[in-house]
């Protein structure tokens, strides 16, 4: 009980926080651009476990509750050819009676505050004259088991000097008639009526269960509320570890980005991944494959259980099937077709897990088939580069799109290692040779002069004026819809390929994939160009990248701009301040935080798109690999922090198959191996083998 009391009575989280007084809503987070919009109904604190997703209002009501179902192919958008089915309920309110008096917890007529416990699950504290109530909604995770339900726990303290009779009514089952029944099973945990003695505390709970999982009702009476909450928080704490960065706000931002990317993913009741949403709000039937890829990237490092299932999903749905609206095939969207292979290579790199590939031989075979088909479709046989029509819903511009070919390199390079590990030596040798050819051809064919030096263009044409592409061929039904993202940049129906599209993220992620280091001059020139007025998509008024006539800025563009400052930790941390300002009061980012014709700081919520798992996934991976400097190559952990990074610590860090305590100081790096096997590590260029429970310290170079 002491541990529970300490948890529930934790100090208010200073950055993810909203409070209500006298019917009005405020926040103490003055850093966020959203601090003057605390009472916006679009603000939710989200909670989930992939099988269930709940969007919690600032007063603790359940605005939306979603459970996921099976996939099916569709024929609708260039970046969307798979949907999932949703079972949803909305506007569920909590009610109880205290000595016969009705209390609607989710009304604004009492004092309350909402924040996040341990930077993950929401906590709502309701203050009345006679009782204090702590409400904690969470979607249970017990070990590797995710339960298809939302649990709401209430811990109630009697503030009076006499007994109080408390009855927890829970949400209404229906409003006016039976057909109003919400699409959810509602079961109380324990008894619904209790007597609280003066200063006494007691708990109440309900479970809101997926109707497809009705058998879960049988064990609800035995569900231990406190233990299940602790297990769920422990899961996220296992992801976060004891990470401590240069400032508290940066530490929280990183954790919330990890959380946001994980909550973007969707799983059915059997435990199969069935896609993703834009982010943790709103749940969508449509699945944008490219959004899902970036949201899932951190799982290669942070959650092997989820990553394996995501790889299997992309193996089945990564390639657009033939259609009447779009031809489909591997060249419809090469980056999406390569997603399973890219994730497979990164997963093996971080975990060394060969068992998965031996048990699921189709994963490797289908990934190799995609590469073979792209090789067969080469428009110029002497070049190892592939063609692609689309990235997601925007064009892969030029005959050879740079980001798509970096993806081709990442897939072939990573799969070469997997093939070698599982005994497919001939395939490994062939893939290594192809990856070397791709790298050479990108370096020679997709590098052009720019305002800051040699850089990557968005893409390149085969013939004639390699820098300019005519858009006339796109000006026909369906295809011309892609021009909505480019129309303001067209000059006589011609587009200059010396540009950076805000949602072209693979050049930005090239150091994460291992294609180049972030100190590579071509990469740095490309990022500097991206963050300058020389880039026609850059909007200096908001330090962002526009998204055509759709919105004033697209959030992945802010991550690309961040990487322009990745040579020095102080500059990088200063650039992150912009991301801290753009984080909403729940700690999440919106896909389109600025409307058209934007003004600096005048941000919006839910402007056409929801929260941005794509940006959160990119940011999480960049922080781990580029800022903290953690990499994994051939079973060896690398620790090479960004120059100028003075200190950080990460206790109980679980990265891939490594488990360790790490402390980086100005003049030293120390690591303790907490795992059950020897840890091979390279710290600042020095190589060590660290036994279980042993530590090693090395001097840090200047």
């Amino acid at each position: 009980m002491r541990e529970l009391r300490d948890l529930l009575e934790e100090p208010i989280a200073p950055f993810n926080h909203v409070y209500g007084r006298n019917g009005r809503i405020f926040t103490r987070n003055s850093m966020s651009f959203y601090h003057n919009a605390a009472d916006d109904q679009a603000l939710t604190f989200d909670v989930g476990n992939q099988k269930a997703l709940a969007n919690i209002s600032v007063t603790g009501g359940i605005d939306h509750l979603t459970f996921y179902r099976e996939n099916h192919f569709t024929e609708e958008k260039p970046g969307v050819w798979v949907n999932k089915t949703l079972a949803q309920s909305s506007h569920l309110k909590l009610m109880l009676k205290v000595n016969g008096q009705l209390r609607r917890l989710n009304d604004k007529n009492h004092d309350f505050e909402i924040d996040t416990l341990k930077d993950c699950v929401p906590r709502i504290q309701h203050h009345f004259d006679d009782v204090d109530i702590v409400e904690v909604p969470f979607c249970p995770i017990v070990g590797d088991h995710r339960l298809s339900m939302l649990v709401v726990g209430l811990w109630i303290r009697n503030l009076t000097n006499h007994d109080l009779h408390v009855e927890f009514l829970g949400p209404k089952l229906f409003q006016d008639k039976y057909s109003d029944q919400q699409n959810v099973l509602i079961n109380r945990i324990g008894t619904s009526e209790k007597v609280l003695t003066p200063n006494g505390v007691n708990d109440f709970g309900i479970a809101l269960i997926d109707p497809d999982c009705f058998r879960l009702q049988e064990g609800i009476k035995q569900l231990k509320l406190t233990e299940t909450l602790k297990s769920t928080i422990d899961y996220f704490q296992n992801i976060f570890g004891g990470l401590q960065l240069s400032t508290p706000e940066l530490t929280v931002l990183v954790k919330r980005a990890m959380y946001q990317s994980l909550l973007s993913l969707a799983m059915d009741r059997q435990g199969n991944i069935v896609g993703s949403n834009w982010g943790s709000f709103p749940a969508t039937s449509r699945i944008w494959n490219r959004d899902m890829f970036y949201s899932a990237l951190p799982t290669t490092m942070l959650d092997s259980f989820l990553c394996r299932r995501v790889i299997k999903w992309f193996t089945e749905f990564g390639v657009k099937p033939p259609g009447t609206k779009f031809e489909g095939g591997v060249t419809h969207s090469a980056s999406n077709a390569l997603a399973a292979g890219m994730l497979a290579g990164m997963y093996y790199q971080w975990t060394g897990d060969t068992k998965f590939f031996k048990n699921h031989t189709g994963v490797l075979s289908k990934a190799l088939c995609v590469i073979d088909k792209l090789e067969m479709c080469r428009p110029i046989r002497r070049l190892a580069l592939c063609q692609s029509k689309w990235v997601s819903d925007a064009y892969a511009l030029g005959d050879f799109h740079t980001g798509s070919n970096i993806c081709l390199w990442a897939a072939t390079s990573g799969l070469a290692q997997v093939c070698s590990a599982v005994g497919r030596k001939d395939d490994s040798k062939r893939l290594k040779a192809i990856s070397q050819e791709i790298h050479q051809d990108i370096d020679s064919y997709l590098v052009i002069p720019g305002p800051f030096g040699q850089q990557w263009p968005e893409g390149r044409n085969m013939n004639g004026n390699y820098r300019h592409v005519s858009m006339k061929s796109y000006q026909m039904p369906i295809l011309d819809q892609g021009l909505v993202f480019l129309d303001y940049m067209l000059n006589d129906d011609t587009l200059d390929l010396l540009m950076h599209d805000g949602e072209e993220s693979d050049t930005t992620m090239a150091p994460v994939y291992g294609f180049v280091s972030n100190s590579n001059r071509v990469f740095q020139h490309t990022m500097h160009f991206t963050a300058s007025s020389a880039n026609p998509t850059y909007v200096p008024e908001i330090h962002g990248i526009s998204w055509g006539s759709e919105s004033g800025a697209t959030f992945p563009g802010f991550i690309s701009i961040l990487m322009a400052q990745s040579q020095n930790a102080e500059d990088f941390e200063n650039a992150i301040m912009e991301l801290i300002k753009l984080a909403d009061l729940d700690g999440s980012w919106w896909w389109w935080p600025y409307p058209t014709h934007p003004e600096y700081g005048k941000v919006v919520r839910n402007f056409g798109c929801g929260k941005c798992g794509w940006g959160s996934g990119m940011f999480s991976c960049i922080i781990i690999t580029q800022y903290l400097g953690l990499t994994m190559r051939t079973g060896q952990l690398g620790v090479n922090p960004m120059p100028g990074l003075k200190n950080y610590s990460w206790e109980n860090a679980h990265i891939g198959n490594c488990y360790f305590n790490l402390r980086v100081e100005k003049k030293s790096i120390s690591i303790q191996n907490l795992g059950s096997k020897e840890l091979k590590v390279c710290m600042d260029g020095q190589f060590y083998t660290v036994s279980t429970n042993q530590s090693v310290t090395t001097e840090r170079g200047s």
Side-chain angles (χ1 to χ4, degrees):
M1 282 300 293
R2 175 67 191 173
E3 186 176 10
L4 172 66
R5 188 162 66 249
D6 290 344
L7 177 66
L8 297 179
E9 295 178 357
E10 272 203 342
I12 293 293
F15 307 110
N16 314 319
H17 175 250
V18 169
Y19 67 97
R21 297 290 185 270
N22 302 317
R24 299 181 63 193
I25 299 177
F26 311 89
T27 182
R28 296 187 182 93
N29 180 0
S30 61
M31 302 179 73
S32 171
F33 284 145
Y34 293 91
H35 73 275
N36 288 325
D39 59 347
D40 189 336
Q41 291 185 353
L43 171 59
T44 59
F45 283 64
D46 307 322
V47 63
N49 62 4
Q50 289 77 53
K51 287 186 177 181
L53 174 67
N55 309 118
I56 308 299
S57 73
V58 296
T59 57
I62 305 162
D63 279 2
H64 306 284
L65 175 60
T66 302
F67 304 107
Y68 303 104
R69 301 285 189 270
E70 70 287 337
N71 292 126
H72 52 275
F73 283 111
T74 62
E75 186 75 358
E76 45 182 315
K77 293 172 71 69
V80 178
W81 53 87
V82 189
N83 276 204
K84 58 185 175 294
T85 305
L86 309 177
Q88 292 185 294
S89 304
S90 299
H91 307 303
L92 296 161
K93 306 295 184 181
L94 304 178
M95 296 177 291
L96 52 81
K97 286 183 178 180
V98 179
N99 280 359
Q101 293 184 334
L102 185 65
R103 303 288 173 84
R104 292 182 173 86
L105 294 189
N106 311 129
D107 289 346
K108 299 179 183 179
N109 59 359
H110 66 283
D111 291 350
F112 64 87
E113 43 209 338
I114 182 170
D115 67 343
T116 54
L117 280 177
K118 301 294 186 182
D119 300 309
C120 52
V121 301
R123 169 181 63 176
I124 308 93
Q125 300 185 62
H126 304 272
H127 305 292
F128 296 92
D129 291 338
D130 50 1
V131 291
D132 273 348
I133 302 170
V134 179
E135 173 193 346
V136 182
F138 64 99
C139 299
I141 302 175
V142 182
D144 279 342
H145 299 288
R146 288 147 166 84
L147 304 183
S148 298
M149 65 175 73
L150 169 71
V151 170
V152 181
L154 298 179
W155 285 265
I156 305 177
R157 179 185 297 277
N158 181 354
L159 302 178
T160 73
N161 58 7
H162 54 81
D163 290 351
L164 293 177
H165 180 271
V166 179
E167 180 183 3
F168 182 32
L169 303 178
K172 286 186 176 180
L173 295 175
F174 58 92
Q175 299 299 322
D176 299 319
K177 51 186 179 179
Y178 293 130
S179 58
D180 290 335
Q181 167 73 43
Q182 298 277 2
N183 194 16
V184 64
L185 305 174
I186 303 177
N187 288 255
R188 289 180 176 83
I189 299 171
T191 60
S192 60
E193 298 184 48
K194 296 179 181 179
V195 175
L196 273 63
T197 58
N199 203 39
V201 178
N202 223 318
D203 62 74
F204 297 81
I206 55 167
L208 296 96
I209 303 172
D210 182 349
D212 256 8
C213 301
F214 59 90
R215 288 190 176 87
L216 287 175
Q217 296 178 104
E218 298 169 5
I220 286 302
K221 290 185 178 179
Q222 286 74 45
L223 188 146
K224 296 180 179 179
L225 188 62
T226 300
E227 291 181 12
T228 309
L229 171 60
K230 184 178 182 303
S231 173
T232 303
I233 291 177
D234 284 348
Y235 164 80
F236 290 106
Q237 288 300 104
N238 187 61
I239 298 288
F240 302 154
L243 182 64
Q244 294 292 329
L245 303 180
S246 58
T247 63
E249 56 266 28
L250 176 55
T251 304
V252 171
L253 188 75
V254 172
K255 292 180 181 179
R256 293 300 287 176
M258 293 174 180
Y259 183 83
Q260 174 70 219
S261 64
L262 292 173
L263 259 63
S264 305
L265 301 174
M267 180 184 285
D268 67 14
R269 66 184 177 89
Q270 290 91 358
N272 304 306
I273 290 289
V274 290
S276 74
N277 309 309
W278 286 313
S280 64
F281 173 86
T284 60
S285 295
R286 283 175 168 172
I287 302 164
W288 275 259
N289 278 28
R290 207 71 198 135
D291 296 46
M292 179 174 169
F293 171 79
Y294 295 113
S295 295
L297 266 181
T299 67
T300 61
M301 311 169 194
L302 300 175
D303 193 319
S304 300
F305 174 85
L306 286 178
C307 189
R308 290 190 294 269
R309 283 152 179 78
V310 170
I311 292 170
K312 290 166 67 176
W313 189 92
F314 275 110
T315 298
E316 182 174 359
F317 296 111
V319 178
K320 167 75 174 69
T324 54
K325 189 184 291 186
F326 303 104
E327 183 180 349
V330 294
T331 59
H332 173 84
S333 175
S335 55
N336 276 317
L338 292 162
M342 292 177 70
L343 290 167
M346 293 178 72
Y347 170 75
Y348 172 73
Q349 171 188 317
W350 283 99
T351 66
D353 179 8
T354 56
K355 183 178 179 181
F356 169 70
F357 297 101
K358 290 177 179 178
N359 290 343
H360 300 88
T361 56
V363 168
L364 195 51
S365 297
K366 290 183 179 180
L368 296 181
C369 184
V370 168
I371 291 172
D372 291 342
K373 288 180 178 179
L374 286 171
E375 190 176 16
M376 291 171 59
C377 294
R378 289 181 185 176
I380 300 178
R381 297 309 303 168
R382 65 181 174 82
L383 291 177
L385 305 178
C386 70
Q387 284 189 301
S388 182
K389 296 182 182 70
W390 303 91
V391 178
S392 183
D393 288 341
Y395 298 126
L397 290 168
D399 294 316
F400 297 110
H401 180 251
T402 306
S404 297
N405 280 284
I406 289 175
C407 289
L408 180 61
W409 175 88
T412 53
S413 176
L415 290 170
Q417 296 181 47
V418 177
C419 287
S420 177
V422 299
R424 298 177 65 160
K425 303 300 183 182
D426 290 342
D427 285 326
S428 177
K429 184 178 180 180
R430 179 175 65 90
L431 289 171
K432 284 181 181 177
I434 293 173
S435 69
Q436 290 171 357
E437 291 175 12
I438 295 166
H439 208 305
Q440 291 168 2
D441 289 341
I442 291 174
D443 290 345
S444 62
Y445 201 76
L446 292 177
V447 176
I448 66 173
F452 302 96
Q454 297 292 100
Q455 70 165 83
W456 295 317
E458 186 75 9
R460 177 171 175 171
N461 295 326
M462 289 186 287
N463 304 310
N465 189 336
Y466 67 84
R467 262 188 58 174
H468 294 86
V469 59
S470 171
M471 305 305 291
K472 290 182 179 179
S473 60
Y474 293 101
Q475 292 169 341
M476 58 185 69
I478 297 180
L479 290 181
D480 65 0
Q481 294 180 35
L483 298 178
V484 71
F485 311 122
L486 302 169
D487 56 0
Y488 68 105
M489 293 191 299
L490 293 177
N491 183 13
D492 295 328
D493 295 321
T494 299
L495 183 73
D496 190 341
L497 290 171
L498 190 61
M499 59 165 283
H500 184 96
D501 186 316
E503 294 183 14
E504 194 297 287
S505 298
D506 294 307
T507 50
T508 302
M509 298 295 283
V512 175
Y513 302 155
F515 181 74
V516 292
S517 69
N518 67 24
S519 61
N520 176 273
R521 295 184 69 182
V522 172
F523 175 76
Q524 278 299 311
H525 294 159
T526 304
M527 293 299 104
H528 287 153
F529 166 83
T530 296
S532 76
S533 295
N535 176 17
T537 65
Y538 181 70
V539 185
E541 293 83 359
I542 58 170
H543 316 304
I545 293 179
S546 65
W547 191 233
S549 58
E550 292 288 287
S551 75
T554 182
F555 202 87
F558 289 107
I559 308 297
S560 295
I561 290 169
L562 173 68
M563 288 302 284
Q565 305 297 331
S566 61
Q567 286 300 283
N568 179 272
E570 184 176 354
D571 295 336
F572 191 77
E573 290 163 5
N574 289 337
I576 286 176
M577 282 303 302
E578 198 69 21
L579 303 183
I580 291 173
K581 294 174 184 177
L582 286 165
D584 205 343
L585 302 176
D586 69 316
S588 61
W589 291 312
W590 291 90
W591 251 104
W592 293 346
Y594 282 103
T596 52
H597 311 294
E599 295 181 50
Y600 184 71
K602 294 187 177 180
V603 292
V604 291
R605 293 188 181 101
N606 207 18
F607 183 72
C609 283
K611 296 177 182 179
C612 189
W614 177 323
S616 296
M618 289 177 67
F619 180 72
S620 299
C621 294
I622 285 170
I623 287 292
I624 292 171
T625 64
Q626 308 305 301
Y627 179 65
L628 304 183
L630 303 180
T631 56
M632 182 70 75
R633 296 285 185 273
T634 60
Q636 179 174 274
L637 178 69
V639 185
N640 188 29
M642 185 177 287
L645 202 171
K646 296 176 182 176
N647 59 74
Y648 76 86
S649 64
W650 199 346
E651 295 185 353
N652 298 309
H654 293 82
I655 307 293
N657 64 354
C658 302
Y659 179 31
F660 54 87
N661 289 334
L662 177 65
R663 180 171 293 277
V664 173
E665 303 284 357
K666 187 176 181 179
K667 296 184 178 181
S668 66
I669 303 175
S670 302
I671 193 166
Q672 180 186 12
N673 180 13
L674 302 178
S676 58
K677 298 181 180 179
E678 286 184 339
L679 175 64
K680 295 181 179 180
V681 60
C682 176
M683 298 189 296
D684 208 33
Q686 300 297 313
F687 296 88
Y688 303 91
T689 298
V690 188
S691 301
T692 299
N693 293 322
Q694 297 301 303
S695 302
V696 66
T697 300
T698 187
E699 289 186 8
R700 187 178 175 192
S702 58

